[in-house]
Amino acid sequence: MNTIRTAMLLAAMTALFMGVGFLIGGSGGMMIALLIAAGTNLFSYWNADKMVLSMNRAVEVDEKNAPEYYAIVQALAKQAGLPMPRTYLIDNPQPNAFATGRNPQNAAVAASTGLLQRLTHEEVAAVMAHELAHVQHRDTLTMTIVATFAGAISMLGNFAFFLGGNRDNNNPFGFVGVLAAMIVAPFAAMIVQMAVSRTREYEADRRGAEICGHPLWLASALDKIARGAERIPNPDAERNPAMAHLFIINPLHGERMDNLFSTHPSTENRIAALQEMARGMGDGAVRTTQRQAPVPSPADEQQSAGPWGRPAAAEPPAEPARPKPNPWGRNPTGPKGRWS
């Protein structure tokens, strides 16, 4: 079923690409677009994951240089019955994460330094379980292909004015066609991104909660990540907005998460679904209040910096009964908990 969906998506994106080419250069432009689309299909299947990781300047880590983070991913992959994915770290203060790869045997997961610094051990585990759910459902290939095509289509739309300015380019629509390509192409690519991402995030939330065993861990993590994304810009994502739907939360600074044209479903709705799931599972951690724990203040965030950031003077937590903001420490043997 996933193979059929991927093939249909490739066909739709190829048709969209050819349509933009026709608007810009007529039949000749359409044939050129077809050749480019064929090359993009092949490139997307084999190399799109490498390109996405490179665009985010992700660095591969292992049990030696990131033992706590690596151990969490390793234990969760075993829990989900998946091969151990390549594990990457992104030097970015915005808390976020994504998964990529053409299949579970060639998958990769990436988390930002901001995620590891601002979330608790349990919340990080829930986020990585969500990303492994995408791997298990084989969403990573589809979403990475969409990111590659959306970027190519948007770029083609941006160049439409220059490519379509020649009267001898066989364009039957003239300047109107060029203008339509400039406006419609990025918009159509965004619609495809929305259709792919929104439907898959809910299912990845559900499966991720099953993998880690606690829906409320993921609910709390989503709340913190969404608040952090609103306050902290992600320059790499801003330069390549076609990648936005890959992340667990929209990384574009200032983008409203409940916007009609957002690539992600409403964070509040996702949290509500996880809370309902927790009640159905009889999770003892269900809270009576609807509001999740807020993102720590800047001062708290500096104090909770873990091994990925600068060490800060230790102070007792404001609420001793709750988990520490970042229980990573410097233990070279990895975390002490259910994921160790």
Side-chain angles (χ1 to χ4, degrees):
M1 187 63 181
N2 282 296
T3 302
I4 296 175
R5 287 192 300 181
T6 301
M8 292 176 62
L9 178 65
L10 284 172
M13 297 298 281
T14 300
L16 178 58
F17 208 78
M18 293 175 63
V20 174
F22 183 75
L23 289 174
I24 296 173
S27 57
M30 184 172 65
M31 292 306 298
I32 293 174
L34 176 61
L35 294 176
I36 295 175
T40 303
N41 284 338
L42 293 174
F43 177 85
S44 298
Y45 184 82
W46 294 105
N47 298 300
D49 57 334
K50 301 180 183 67
M51 184 180 69
V52 169
L53 292 165
S54 176
M55 284 182 175
N56 286 278
R57 296 179 294 171
V59 177
E60 189 168 4
V61 296
D62 54 28
E63 66 275 10
K64 295 181 180 179
N65 53 16
E68 300 93 341
Y69 170 43
Y70 188 88
I72 288 177
V73 176
Q74 188 176 48
L76 288 168
K78 182 178 180 180
Q79 177 75 9
L82 291 169
M84 178 62 185
R86 289 172 290 132
T87 308
Y88 287 80
L89 192 61
I90 305 169
D91 186 12
N92 192 307
Q94 184 190 88
N96 229 317
F98 68 85
T100 185
R102 62 182 181 273
N103 53 42
Q105 290 71 36
N106 296 276
V109 294
S112 70
T113 52
L115 183 89
L116 302 183
Q117 290 167 356
R118 290 171 171 82
L119 271 63
T120 67
H121 186 283
E122 293 81 7
E123 290 163 347
V124 171
V127 170
M128 302 319 296
H130 170 99
E131 300 306 332
L132 289 174
H134 279 308
V135 173
Q136 191 169 57
H137 294 159
R138 297 179 181 267
D139 296 337
T140 50
L141 172 61
T142 303
M143 296 171 73
T144 304
I145 286 175
V146 169
T148 305
F149 259 104
I153 291 171
S154 297
M155 183 174 63
L156 189 59
N158 292 336
F159 283 121
F161 182 80
F162 302 99
L163 298 176
N166 189 346
R167 293 182 179 180
D168 299 326
N169 64 0
N170 220 12
N171 181 354
F173 300 101
F175 181 75
V176 175
V178 174
L179 186 62
M182 292 173 62
I183 297 174
V184 174
F187 183 78
M190 181 184 65
I191 294 297
V192 175
Q193 285 180 287
M194 289 166 49
V196 171
S197 180
R198 287 193 172 196
T199 57
R200 294 170 187 264
E201 290 303 320
Y202 284 114
E203 186 60 24
D205 285 346
R206 183 195 64 80
R207 179 55 184 152
E210 291 176 350
I211 293 173
C212 72
H214 290 270
L216 291 184
W217 289 1
L218 183 55
S220 180
L222 290 175
D223 183 71
K224 288 185 179 181
I225 296 171
R227 292 172 184 267
E230 290 177 354
R231 297 186 298 108
I232 305 170
N234 186 331
D236 294 326
E238 297 289 347
R239 284 191 293 268
N240 302 283
M243 300 187 302
H245 69 286
L246 292 174
F247 290 83
I248 188 171
I249 291 289
N250 195 329
L252 302 182
H253 189 52
E255 178 75 13
R256 307 313 304 174
M257 301 306 164
D258 55 354
N259 192 304
L260 177 63
F261 299 107
S262 174
T263 56
H264 290 67
S266 165
T267 304
E268 289 77 12
N269 290 345
R270 294 171 68 181
I271 290 174
L274 288 165
Q275 290 174 334
E276 182 63 28
M277 181 179 178
R279 284 189 285 270
M281 293 172 62
D283 193 330
V286 175
R287 294 186 181 131
T288 57
T289 58
Q290 294 297 315
R291 191 176 185 84
Q292 299 297 311
V295 171
S297 65
D300 292 336
E301 289 169 351
Q302 291 177 1
Q303 292 173 0
S304 64
W308 329 116
R310 295 180 179 178
E315 292 187 7
E319 299 178 12
R322 299 177 62 184
K324 294 180 181 180
N326 185 35
W328 304 103
R330 295 274 182 179
N331 178 14
T333 62
K336 294 183 180 300
R338 66 173 297 179
W339 308 114
S340 58

